[in-house]
Structures are given as C-alpha cells and as structure tokens.
Amino acid sequence: MYQKSNIEPCGLSEQILVPGPNVSRGGLVKLPEDVTFDEASLIEPLACCIRGLTKCKLHKGDEITILGAGPAGLMHIILAKLTGAGRIVVFDINQFRLDFAREHFGIDTYNVATEKDIIKKMQDTTDFIGADTTIVATGSSKAILQSFELTRKGGNVLLFGVPAEGTMVLFDISRIYSNQLSIIPSYASSEIEINQAIRLISSKRINIGSLISHRFDITNASEGIRCARRAKDAIKVIITAK
C-alpha cells in the first residue's frame, strides 16, 4: 500500500506545490545540467533501489537472485553489478523483460511460467547453497514465499515490491529462525538516496536511460499508463510534455 505523497495537485501537473519543510530539509534538489529530463524521471525509483540495497550490505562476489524483471528489478541489477556482485539470476513470467535483462546485462534469466520448480533450479546452480541476497521486486505473495527457499542460511531477503493491502502469507517461521534469514523491507527513499541517484546518473557510471522503452506525449497519457500496466513489450514508460 502506498502512502499519500506531498505532491499537489499531482505528478502530471505542469506546476506543483512543495511543502516548506520539504524545501528546508533538503527534499528539493536542483537538476544538474548534464542530467536529461528523461533520466530525471528515473531518479526517484533508482533512489528507492539504492535504499533497499544499502540495507542489504552487499559484498563483492555475492550471488543475487531477483524475483521480477520489471523496471525495479532491472535497476537492482544495475546497482548490484556496480557493487561487484557475482552471479545474478532473475525470474519473471514476462519473456520480453527477461530477454531484455539477459541481452543488456549478460545475466541468467528463467521464466517461471515454464521453469516450474525454481527452487530446484537455484539449488542446481548454487550447489544447494542458495543466494546470498534475494530481492523480491514484485508484490506477489508467492514470490515472497519462494524467496525464503531461494536464500542461503544467514542470507538476506529484501522485500521491495509492494504487496496489495491485506496480503497474507503462511510459512513456518521456525525455518526462518533456524536458517537465520534477515527479512528486510524497504519502502520509498530519502534525500540521501535521491542525491546518490543523481550523482550516479550525472557521473555516467550507469546508463539508466536505457530502461526507457516507450515515450508518450502528455496528451496521450492515458495510453501510456495502459502500456505500462500491460507491460507486454515495455520496460519503463515515461510521459513527456511534448
């Protein structure tokens, strides 16, 4: 469930009102000249991913499993590779997005619609150890349950995707206890991660703009929203002023 924002009247408005405390506490930042508006549209989601991975305290060579190859999952790939992660494996049901992840980042991808037993697949590929960190970049309750099985003893499970309000999961908590899993939820970002995201983009250390697959004029915003929702052949959809 998303919390109410301070944006008034809405994110698609030409001008918005920003509360004074947000300005005085560093929540309003000036966009560097070398960051395009397209790139700027991805600052906030990138900052959210930075916050989540910072909580996980990744180490070089860590094996990462990501459930969900949408924009958030792909941003986690970019950041994990930047930290020197070892093998990265991504699962999703959207073959278009899996193909994009494999072709652009050179990682292993599996379609859960055809790869029925992803737990066994990970056991086979990690010598029955499991991932050091599993990132749940989807709100699916099934993915949350799978993450507990995909992660090694003493590993991290990052709950990043937004589950629907009222989502319930049933799992033997004693197994989480005995396997010493760290369950790490991460929501939103602060001005700290926002500025980190801007520096990463501005310095060209990452090519975040490569995730933009569709652009819609604001007069056709409704179609852009439908495209993003269908996600059949889309990665990141942005709406522009012209």
Side-chain angles (χ1 to χ4, degrees):
M1 178 180 179
Y2 286 108
Q3 299 174 10
K4 184 177 180 180
S5 76
N6 289 329
I7 297 177
E8 186 181 346
C10 72
L12 292 179
S13 299
E14 185 176 0
Q15 295 180 327
I16 62 173
L17 295 175
V18 180
N22 290 62
V23 178
S24 62
R25 297 174 185 175
L28 192 64
V29 296
K30 183 177 181 180
L31 192 66
E33 292 184 0
D34 54 1
V35 174
T36 68
F37 288 139
D38 282 6
E39 292 172 327
S41 70
L42 304 180
I43 289 173
E44 189 273 341
L46 179 63
C48 293
C49 295
I50 291 173
R51 185 181 183 89
L53 288 187
T54 299
K55 291 182 177 182
C56 293
K57 300 178 180 178
L58 299 186
H59 298 92
K60 287 186 177 181
D62 277 358
E63 296 218 3
I64 311 295
T65 297
I66 301 175
L67 299 175
L74 297 176
M75 288 183 189
H76 279 111
I77 294 172
I78 292 172
L79 294 171
K81 291 177 76 70
L82 198 63
T83 64
R87 182 172 183 172
I88 301 175
V89 179
V90 177
F91 293 94
D92 202 300
I93 60 173
N94 186 317
Q95 192 59 48
F96 174 82
R97 290 181 166 180
L98 290 172
D99 291 342
F100 182 94
R102 185 180 63 256
E103 293 167 6
H104 282 73
F105 304 113
I107 61 172
D108 295 323
T109 62
Y110 299 100
N111 193 319
V112 296
T114 55
E115 191 68 52
K116 297 300 182 181
D117 192 345
I118 70 171
I119 310 301
K120 184 177 185 303
K121 172 60 67 174
M122 280 303 296
Q123 289 177 339
D124 292 342
T125 57
T126 63
D127 294 327
F128 293 89
I129 296 174
D132 295 297
T133 293
T134 298
I135 301 167
V136 186
T138 169
S140 165
S141 58
K142 182 178 180 181
I144 293 173
L145 289 171
Q146 290 172 327
S147 70
F148 301 150
E149 304 281 0
L150 292 168
T151 312
R152 67 165 175 80
K153 289 185 177 181
N156 299 317
V157 173
L158 175 62
L159 299 181
F160 186 86
V162 183
E165 186 175 7
T167 298
M168 301 288 181
V169 294
L170 181 63
F171 193 80
D172 185 352
I173 298 299
S174 69
R175 294 177 61 188
I176 294 178
Y177 171 81
S178 60
N179 287 333
Q180 302 180 70
L181 295 180
S182 295
I183 312 299
I184 306 170
S186 189
Y187 174 82
S189 64
S190 71
E191 69 278 4
I192 296 173
E193 294 83 27
I194 289 290
N195 282 287
Q196 289 174 335
I198 291 174
R199 288 195 295 271
L200 282 177
I201 296 171
S202 178
S203 66
K204 311 304 179 186
R205 294 184 65 193
I206 61 174
N207 179 17
I208 199 69
S210 65
L211 300 185
I212 299 173
S213 60
H214 292 72
R215 293 171 176 80
F216 290 86
D217 184 271
I218 195 167
T219 59
N220 200 23
S222 58
E223 178 56 32
I225 293 171
R226 283 193 290 269
C227 177
R229 183 176 180 82
R230 289 193 303 266
K232 182 179 180 181
D233 61 350
I235 302 298
K236 193 64 176 177
V237 178
I238 65 172
I239 297 172
T240 64
K242 59 180 179 177

